[in-house]
Structures are given as C-alpha cells and as structure tokens.
Amino acid sequence: MGEFKVHRIRFFDYMPSAIRAMAFSTRTERLALARADGALEIFNFSDNYFQEKVLPGHDGRAVEALCWVGPRLFSAGLNGEITEYDLENLRPRYTVDAYGGPIWTIGVNSQGTLLAVGCEDGTVKMFEVLKERIQFQRNLDRQRGRIISLSWHPSGTLIAAGMMDMIRIFDAETGRATHRLVVDRGAGASKSKEVVVWSIAFLSDYTIISSDSAGKVQIWDGLNGTLIRTHLITKWDVLALSVSQDESSLVAGTSEGTVVQFQFLSSTVDRLDKDWVRTRTFKNHSHDVRALAHTETAVVSGGMDTQLVVRPLLDKVEKNTRESAIRKVSFPHRSLVCCAKKAGVLLFQFPDHLELWRLGESDGYGKPGGSLPVKRGPEKLIQLKRKGEDHICCSALSPCGGWLAYSTVTSFRLYRLLNGSISICKVSKLPKDLRPAHQLCFSTDSSKLFASSSNSSVVVVALNEPECKYLGTLKAKYGCRQPVHLLSASENGKWLATANTDCEVHVYNLDKLKLHCTVPVYGSCPTAMAIHPTTSNLVVVHADQQIFEYSLVKKEYTEWSRRLQKQGLHSLWLERDTPITHVTFNPKNPAHIIVQDLFMFCIIDKSLPLPEAKNVLYNQMTLRSLPEPDRVLHSHGFKICKDFQHLLCVSLLEDHSLVVVERPLLDIVSQLPAPVRQKKFAT
Amino acid sequence: MVEHGDIRVVRRGGSKINFRQPVITNDSRLLLCASGHSVKVFSTSTEECVHELRGHTDLVTGVVVKPSNHLQAYSCSLDGTIRLWDFTDGILIKTYDIGYSIYSIHTSAFHKGVVFTVTSTISDKKSESFQLVAVHLPQSGDQLVKAPELSAVISDVSSNPGAIVFGRGGEYIASANGLHLEVFFFKKQKTYRFFLKKDTKTGGKNTFMCVAAHPKDDCIATGHEDGKIRLWRNFNHQKEYTYSTLHWHSNAVSSMCFTPEGTNLLSGGVESVLVQWRYNDVSQRDFLPRLGAAITHIAVSPDGALSCTSHSDNKITIIQGIKVSAVLQGLVTGESVETDLMVDPRSKALVLNGKPGHLQFYSLKRDKLLYNLDIVQQEYIHELGLQQFKVVKVAFDASGNWMATVEERKQKDAEQELNLKLWAFDEQTQSFVLNTTVADPHESRITAMCFCQAAASQTTMLISASEDGHFKAWQLRRLAPGEDDGPSCLCDFVGAYRGLVPHCCCFSADGSLLAVSFQEVVTVWSPASWELLATLSQPPKAIRNLCFGRLSCSKYLLGTTDDHLLCCWNLLTCSLEWSTSMDISLLLGDPLTENIAAFCCHAGSTDLFVFKPSEPRPVFSLKAVCSGKVTHAVFAPREEMLESCEESSQWLNHSQLYFLTQCMDLMTFTTKAEEEKLMASSKQLLIDDSVAMTPFYLLLGKHRKGESGAAASGESAGRPPLPQGSGAVKELLRTPAHVLPSTSFLCSMFVKSLLVSVGDARSVESKPAEEEMESEKEEEDSEGDMESSASRPERGSLARRSAEPAAPPLTKAQLRELRRVKKLDHSWLTGLLRS
C-alpha cells in the first residue's frame, strides 16, 4: 500500500445546519430537504440517496415548509414569502409575499392546481398554480390564532388546519369552516399552556390524524368531527407526521428523537374493520425530529441533530440486502475542502466564510502508525467573510496558492493571494461572461479558471496579473440544462471533464475549446472524477459505487475498466453507504488510484488482481499478520484504510505527504444544543 | 441386608406450589396448582388447602380446567398419564395413559376431546428437544384408558408451558422457543415463523421468555430476556407482520397474561412487581410492587375478578383488582439451604432459610408456614447479581429459649461482613426477639456452631468455630427482671489447636464434653474447665462430620472423614472402637434415641443406613433413596409416638427423618401403617365454605354432624333420628322472617313434634334419656361451657360401654364429640320448650 506522511487535520469546524422541513416526491423519487440556514438539498432516492443538488442558503430565508407540485418545488417560510425554486440553476426563481405574516405551512391539493398556505394571522390563503408563477386566489374564513399545519383531503374539497388548541376543517370550495375539533391540553402543569397542533394529515377515508405539543397523536373522524382514539406517545412534543402513499402506515416524530410508527391493521384475521395501532419505535436521533417523510419502503427523518436518516421498513424490503440497511447522511456529498497541492494550503468552505490554512511541518522520522513531532503547527492565514446575504455556493483555490475564487447565487468573486498567501486583494476587473457559478476549478498550472454556469456550460478565463481575459465558453450540445456539479482539469492542461446531474460526462479539448468526446451515459450520477496525469484516462466513480476508466485518447473504456465490469465489484464495496467524493492519483506510481469516502480511503492498484467475491475485502490487517511471501497470494487491488473516519478530504501533496481532513461526528454532537431531558432508567 | 418393603420415601409437605402456573376455577372460589406428585386445591378466600388430589406417581407438570366442563380438571405428569379430576369433591374420574413423559398440557374450547401436551421428541431422547402433540382422548367409560391417538402439531417447542399459548378461542397456537416465534393456524393448517436476532447493538437480548395471546384480537405478546414486551400483529403474513415494543422490566419478563376481556396485560419478572398494561393505551400502566419475590407465573380467573402470581419463594399471591387479597405460602427452599435443616424444639417446626434474610418456621404436621423471622433486618433489593446479607447458620438450644444465627455478606472487593445474633424466646409475643448482636465474632467465615444441649443450667453455652483457626465459647445468660441490661452474652473461651482450621463441633448429650474437629484431628474438651482432654485422629483426611452417641451409646463419638471412612471412638478408652469404609455425606443423630442415620453417597444415588453405634448390624438400610447427594436432613420428633413393632420400622417411632434432595425437594420416610392412617384421616368432613360463618351456621354445622354421629351410633342406641324436627328447623331457618307465621303458632308446632320424638326415644331406651336429663341439668349449671368437667371421663366410659356391644369401637375423641353434640342439640330444645 505504501507509506505516507499524513497531515491529520481536525481543525475544520464545519457545522451542518439543523433539518427543518422535508418533502418527498413519489413521482420523481426525490426528497427535498430544507435546513435551518435556508439551504435546500435534493436527494435522489432512486440513485442511492445521492445528494444531487444543493441550493445555498440565504440569511433572511427561514424555510418552514416545503412542497412539490409535480417537478416544481415551493417553499414557505417565516419571512412571509412563498418561493419557487429554479432547480436547473440552483436558485430561487421568484418569491411571492402572502401578506399574512409568517407562513407556517404549505400544502397542495392532489390535482396540483391549488396551493394553500397557513399564516400567522389565522388565514388559509389559496394560490392558483399557473405555468410560470402562482397567483393569489382567495382567503378561507379567517380564524383567531395562527394556522400551524394544514392538510388537503385527497379529493380536494376539504382542508384540515391545525391551530392552537384546535383543528378546523374548511370546505375548500366555499371557504367556510365546517368543523371545530378541540384538542385536549396536556395534564398537570401544562394545563394552562396552549397546545399546538404541530402536524396534521387528512386521509381519504375522512380520518384526520393530528400530532400536538402535548405528546399526543389523535385520530379523528373528519366527517362528524369526533375523536376516535388518542395515543400518548411522548411527554414532549410530537412535531412531525407523515403518512404512506397507501395510507396503511404513518409515522410521527417526537422531541425525544424517536419516530413512532402506526399501522392500519384489522384486529383479527377475517374481519375487515381496521384500526390504527401503534407498532414500531425507531430511535435514530438524539434531538427533535422536525421533518419526516414516509416513502414506500422507508421512513426518512431529520431534525435538530442535522442528520438525515433513512430507515427502511423491513416488511417492505428484502432482508439483509443493500436496501435493508439503515443510512445516515451527515455530511454533504461534495467536497468542502480545496487543497493547493503545490503550496500546501487548504481552503475550507463554510456557508458564510472561507478559511485559508497553511499545513504544519515536521522533519522527524517515526514508526508507521506513530505520530511525528510537529516543527511548525498549522496556521490560519485568512478568514474571508462573504459579502451580501447569499451563502457561498462554491469556492476554489489554485494549486499554486495564488488565486482564490468563490461564488454565491448572485455574485462571483476572484482574489489574488500574495506574499505566501498572507495578503489578499480582490480582482476587480472581471470579464462580463463570468457569472455566478455552480462549480469552480483552476487548471494545474494556475493559469486558467473554469466556472460552470447555466445550461451545463463552462466559462474559461485566463488569469493574468493585471486583467483576466475571457477565453470562451464550453458548451456540450443543445438541450442540456442540468447544472454541472463536477469539474476536473487534466495535469497537462489539455483536457477538462465536466459532469452534470443528468449523469452526462463531457470532455473538452482546452486547446481547441471544443467538445472532445462524451463518455457513454451510465445510469447513476457521477460523484467524483479525475483525469490521470500521464495516461490521460478519465476515472469516474458513480453513486452506485461503480468505477469506470475511460481512455480519452482512444475514446473507449480501458482494458482494466472492462475487466472490472466483467468481474464485478466486491459485494462489500457495493454495500458501502457513502459515495466516493474524491479521486486522486499517486504521481510516483501511475497504477495507483486513490479514492475516498466518509469512512475510508482506498488505493486501487491496477496492477494487482481484482478481489473476487470469496476474498476478504478489508484485508489490510490480515495481510500485516502474514509472512512476506504469503502476502502476495492474499493481496488484491483494493487496499482500504479505515484508520481515519469521517473524512472530508484526502489529498496527496507534491511532497508525497497525505492530507487527511477529518470531522468527527462527536464534535458535531457536542456543539448541538442540549436535548430534552429524559429520565433514563437507573439514573 | 434386607430391603424393607414397607418403608417408602415420600414427599410429605413442603413441596413446590410455584412449579407451574396455577389455575383459578370459573367461580373464582378455588385455585388449583401442581404440587409435587399431587394437585392441591386451595380456597381463594380462606387460603386453606381444600383437597389434595393424589394419584400421580411422578411430578405433576400441569393443571388445566376442562374447557367443556368447568367442574373438572386435567392434570398431567411425568409419569405419562393425564388424569381427569372432579376437583370440588377431590375424585379421580379418569386416567388416560399416554406412555410418554408429559411436560405441560394445554387445552382450548375450540378443540373438543383433544388436549395438547408437550412431550420430548421420541426419536432421540438425549438432546433436549420437545414437541407439541395433540392427544385425542377416547370416549370410554373405563377408569383407565389408553390414548393411542397422538399427532404432532409443532416440533421444537420449549418445555416451558408459558411459551405456548392458544389465541383467540383456539384458532391458532403460538409457541416461542429460543429466538423464534411460531404461529400455527388450525383452520388453514398453516405455520408462520418469525425470527429475531440474538443481540441487538444497543445491548438488547431478544430471547423469548414467555408468550400471551389476546383473547379477542389477533395480537400476541411476547416477553424477552432483556425485559422488553413485544406485541405482534398481522402475523398471518410472513412478511408484513409488525410488532410494537413495551419496556418497563429491567430483567427478563418471566410471565405474562391477558385478562379475559383483553383490556389489560399483566406481566412480571425478577423485579417482583406486577405490571398491568392497558391494551388500548400502553403508555398507561399500573403497578403492584413489593410482592416479595420474583414472579414466575401469572394467571387470571376466567371472570377476570382475580389474578394470581406465583413467586420464586414458593408462594402464590391472589390479587383482587390491584390489591393482594390472599397469600398461599409453601416451604421456601430456594437454590441452597445454607442454614441446614433445624427443628425448633418449642414449636417442632422445621427451620431453614426462607425469604432472603429471613428464617422460616414451617409446621410439617400441618404443612403450613407458621411465620417468617426477619434475621437480617435490612431491605432486600430485587436485582440480579447483588451481594446481600445471607443467613448462613442457625442453632437452637435444647429448650428452645435461645436461638443463634450467623449472617454474612460476601462482597467481591470488600471484606467479609459477619454478624452473630442471639435471639431469646419471648413468652409474651411467642416468638424470638433479638437479644444480642455480635459484629464480627470471628475474623473469617464461621464453619460450625452448636449449643450445649444439656438442660437446666443457669447459663447456656454456644460454640462457634471459624476458618480463622479458633473456636469460641459464648456464655449466654437470661437477664432477671430486676437486672438492668448488662451484657448477656460473653465470650468465655477461645480455643485453638496447632493453628488448624476447625470444621465441626459437637456437644455430648450431657454437655460434659465438647468435640471439635481440626481437620484430621478430633479434640475433646471439657467445657467446665476448658481443658483439652483427649485428641483422636484418623489421618490422613479431614473430618467431615462429628456426632456423639446418645443414651446407652453415649460413650461413643462418631466421625466421618473425607476419604470415605466412618469411625467410632470409645471415649472411655480413647481408642477407635470400629471403623468402616463408606462415603458418608451426612451423619445425623436422632436426639430421642440412640439411632444414628448416615446418608451414604454411592454411584450417583444416596443410600440410607440407620444404626446404633453399639451394634454391628444396621437397624435399617435403604438403597437408592434418591439420586444425587443428600446434604441436609433432620430428625423431627413426632408428636405422637408410633407404635410399630416391626424391627425395621421401629426407628421411626420417636421421630421422623426429613431430608432435602439435590433438587431441593423435602422427602421423608413413611411406613405402611402410617400411610394407611393418613389416608383414613384425609376422608374427613369438609367445611362447606359456601355458607357464611355465622352463629347460626355453627349451630347448623354442629347439628348436621350430630345427625350423622347419631346415625352412626343410632342403631346401637336404638334411638331414631329426629327427621321432622331437623327438617322443621331447616325450614324455619330458610324462610325469611317476614313471611313466617307468628312465633307462638310455630312454637307450639315445634314443641309438639319434638315432644313426640323424645317420648319415643324414652320409651324405647331409658339410659340415654337419663343421660340427657343429666346433661340438661349440667347445662343449667354451666351455661355454654363446653369444656369437660370432672364427671366427664366417667360418662365417657359409660357411653363407650353402652355402645360397645353392637357398634365398632369409637375413639374417645369421637365419642366426646358425639356427647357434646347431643347435649348441645337438646339444650337448644330445652330453650324452645321453656319459651
């Protein structure tokens, strides 16, 4: 596997933001997730839960509710505005003020024609969904007290709205309130406190299910307005509800971090009358579960502890397969760290600032596995605060450490770093074509900057001291609209590879500024790619953990790639649940490919045989215990190191030392606010 | 050696009543539970044992009420039979012979004429695997029926009857074993199996412990090793089954039961708390804490009014609502009896470890717990693996005035804690009262303790021997009333011998000699002067038991050694009289005779020899008394001497020998004659507890007995019974007062009828009449005084003489009863007459 001097970095204080709302679209199998800082993330559930798109946050935007209308995504927040998003350009398309104070909830009818929002002032406002915009239609009967939650009946004729201490049922056509269901307050001291109906669900059989701040999940008859059943599931709040598509199961998330499942079961085998019965309890969170989605096969939950948890329902999936494993998404599926290989400088990207660090140095020698004495500690060079209210969406540092660029949804900025990256000055004269970008990349010799912009195009800018010159725009073909999320330039400056969320990988010839070739489209989204410095082979890793090597010269898959596809990857490799986020190469050994995900990094040695199904994949420890001659027999091409966990970046510097950026989950947990106090047995 | 056919080893009292789940009858009046080789029927209101259904020849492993007739019950046993009983009258109706050992029995109303039993798998008896078998009970009038029709239902079930349950009127049966749950639907003949992982990452242990099925819904509750309860639903789908989890218990859930309406689920475990879960709202639960010991079984009566819990300390608690209404306590034997068996000289009760930290006083004669004495006087915490104070030694002095106890607590790191407590008998409270506590009497564990058994000295002497190499003599002195509380317990002497560890100590019968064994050396001391009189030794192995001979054999000292030698020393010559080689585990002297009992371990089973030290031939020997080693036994003095003239059974005349087998069953030896006597006495009249206990009831009960008594002696006396009179009385008592005619009218009618009958009696025979007159007079003298007066014995003998010619001889007690009844009856009549 080889020996490396490792810079083990734990000073990247990245803190993900709490999850606020979720919406799952069954049609597109995509989950939209809103975080507390206003950022939106789109996960593709059909493609290994890959985080396809990230819409950066905005200071004034607090998303309280999300809603899919077909392929369109709407959000509403406490700023009182309804926003529709442009998912191709990763930015809000437009906002509409509802003029009703903060909006707590949003819901669309099953036909997708009307959008209802619940406002602080007690009104439910209806908006008509038009092709390009939404238009206010009317108000339903105004109530005293805010509308916290609402749910449409699938027929679209009734709306149930959760308020303080009660639930109102409205006739959607006339706008009249037809029923008033009074929700009990909690017992004891909380008797004097108003109970908040946090979430509500209206089922097609006119059953209403509500969850409230007194810890109850209540089942109501929506036609007669009577209470059928009360399930007390926690002492604290029940914040979220989600019903499965076939209305046979529902989940409720509590402040304790538990998710409780209810199922619609018949009491005996041969009888038809069914009842909602509390069944399973999942405890995957330490803090409030704020958002829930019930997909066909899984319960998706997220909350204050910033993790997205996909818990498959074992009765719906095949047991002991990839599908039945629980998945936790705690870090973005893209790199937030940029490493200047020549200068030994790291750039950390935060939503509201950038940090520039110089790596420490050591001149000692030590045993493998030991730690070296540090001669010069790491140094924080620059902290660069962003301008404006929009959060940083992407950033890049040139390999020489002389240029720094970042972009938000509205602006693009380029800086020149001088005197060993200590002083910084903004490059003011930028070409007009350099618009806000989705992804940034410098060429290896730091002479060019590539910025991906709308419609999968890439702007190429030559970096010169007094002025930056626009060289041209690389365009794949007409009709390609998805944003580019990966950019990779070759070492020799000849090629540039781009990948977009439509799974297309294009390679451009930078000399001619023309499309060189398009890699055959594979069904899964690329998560990382890189061009080999000497052989000019493009290595692409996809969300389903497949690895391809494509020869740019021959415009075909290489021999090794074909062999890999023929034999298939090891099942344990395929079962890993975090995508590969980084690919680099070892300049000393051209046969080595270094790939990295959250829990391991792996050196793929193309000269060694591939692991077969019967081989042990994680064999580094056993190899070490074997005598020298036997090692060759047992070794295979995938050399996996799990010594470092929660890896955000693994990069090989020019001096052949390895930079490993870790962000232990425990550090994140320790920074979270205290969870609700619970009595633990025997404490 | 001759095998003595007429002496048998039997279970007599003290058997487990918590072995299997008890059954409450439909009317909630009786409770049936398996107890050793028989089934006991208790009254739920009075706690009395109403019947003991005897007949099985091996351990009874299950009792169920017959679903089609709620006045009959099936019981099954390891002897391979199912017996059908009429439990209200205690009659065996039928015996079905299955031919295989039965481990549990299940019935359901859905299956008529079929019972389900758990038997061990026939093919291979070595590995412990069991199967559920349906037994078709043939319809036949015979007493003993063979049931050949067996059909396997579920293979690989648990032998624990709590792990198999019928659901929803018997439409399906659920069985849990190890880590899988199996549900078999009878209608569809389909089986569904559900598996759990052994351990979860969070430390859960998923092994199934018990199962309960909801009576109306399709819901199965399973209890697990880590204290979780899972409610399974939708289990008629292999894939889409679902369950919810309830968690309160911190240790394994040992038993669960749904109430008949299905509104509540009861569960219990080591915590000894009965938890009542609402089926519809599982977040609400009620608790019944402090039930005393770990719950092993829970049962609910069919009407739901009563529930009962069996506990690990051989107790059944009957619970009404969520309140304890009655407690049936059996003999507590636990896993180990550290105190050995003792007999309290005063109450003749068996004394041994009872509840944790307590001593129990158990009356063997009445088969009932007398009381528990709290020795440790500390709260017992119900948690597994906690080291708490244990009572390890107990000793009584000859008169029963003093009791000494030793308690110890062994902790892993800390030093051992020892307490010697002395208890004096308090005449007023009739129980032992703590007199002195000696903290740390020795530096190490106490190995033996004994009182000087000699009677009538001012002070009592207690010897305690310890592993620290010393034995100490303690002088006890009862404080005179005037004295203020000076020390009543003084350490008189500390003895040691060459730094060896003393193991046994024993006083001679007259208290003049004390023998203490130091490993292989026996030292004999004089307690008066604390002189070492002699040393006796039988190298090379250590002495295991020591015992002085008694009465005519008091010059002998017996000892057993670790290398299987039984030695008898003559104390007059200080030499070895005889020795023989046998592996004796326990040597025990009868305190009333010179007999010595020796339990001898031989080839995995225990033989018993009873001998006199002076005679070469054993008085009695019995091979293979029980399997395993016997380490605890006691001679309990009889209250009435047995008059057996057979040589072999004479040793049982004065006292009875009880012993504990390895599986903690209390056994005893009985002769044939004794057994017959017992059988006869068991056919006694029972109090019908349906009638309330009122003065009228007493009157009536006596009256009825008098009738039967009179009927027995009536022929000889030639006196006809009083049918009209008693009938009229009954009528009178049954009819409500407000519908009766006026009293004067009634009275004259009564008097008339009674006069005639008395006149009849008189005309036929004058003697009884005279007696009656006599008794009437006496009645006037002492109103209501039932005690026999001075003239009573004479009259008794007179009556016997008169009865003798024709009737079989009646016992004195019966006659007395008869007399009393006659007197009572007529005194009442005189009362009527006078009015």
Side-chain angles (χ1 to χ4, degrees), chain B residues 721-735:
Chain B
L722 309 170
Q724 303 137 300
S726 63
V729 169
K730 262 186 199 165
E731 197 76 6
L732 178 74
L733 290 171
R734 277 206 191 129
T735 324

Side-chain angles (χ1 to χ4, degrees), chain A residues 504-666:
Chain A
E504 293 166 333
V505 178
H506 301 291
V507 182
Y508 300 94
N509 189 329
L510 290 176
D511 298 338
K512 300 175 189 165
L513 291 179
K514 266 176 78 181
L515 182 69
H516 173 67
C517 63
T518 300
V519 179
V521 174
Y522 181 70
S524 179
C525 194
T527 62
M529 63 179 185
I531 300 169
H532 198 279
T534 52
T535 59
S536 291
N537 290 337
L538 176 70
V539 176
V540 187
V541 189
H542 292 269
D544 62 353
Q545 312 293 359
Q546 292 291 347
I547 304 168
F548 291 95
E549 194 184 35
Y550 187 78
S551 169
L552 299 183
V553 183
K554 293 183 189 164
K555 298 190 183 178
E556 63 176 20
Y557 286 119
T558 61
E559 182 58 31
W560 181 79
S561 182
R562 284 167 206 268
R563 196 145 47 88
L564 188 68
Q565 288 307 311
K566 207 182 228 171
Q567 191 181 324
L569 282 153
H570 197 278
S571 61
L572 281 179
W573 177 270
L574 295 175
E575 275 169 25
R576 291 177 311 113
D577 60 348
T578 51
I580 298 285
T581 51
H582 205 251
V583 178
T584 54
F585 301 95
N586 189 349
K588 284 197 177 165
N589 191 340
H592 282 184
I593 307 167
I594 303 172
V595 297
Q596 164 249 324
D597 72 2
L598 193 61
F599 296 104
M600 59 112 211
F601 73 89
C602 173
I603 298 178
I604 301 169
D605 193 338
K606 290 195 283 184
S607 60
L608 284 175
L610 295 165
E612 283 169 38
K614 63 179 194 294
N615 288 19
V616 186
L617 185 66
Y618 304 111
N619 65 350
Q620 289 303 308
M621 289 306 281
T622 49
L623 277 185
R624 211 169 292 169
S625 64
L626 286 172
E628 198 75 42
D630 287 4
R631 290 191 192 176
V632 186
L633 275 175
H634 288 86
S635 64
H636 55 73
F638 285 67
K639 297 171 183 303
I640 294 168
C641 171
K642 287 197 154 194
D643 292 350
F644 309 102
Q645 295 278 291
H646 305 116
L647 292 172
L648 294 184
C649 174
V650 172
S651 184
L652 206 54
L653 294 186
E654 281 220 319
D655 62 347
H656 205 65
S657 59
L658 205 62
V659 176
V660 172
V661 182
E662 286 178 291
R663 179 65 182 153
L665 268 187
L666 270 179

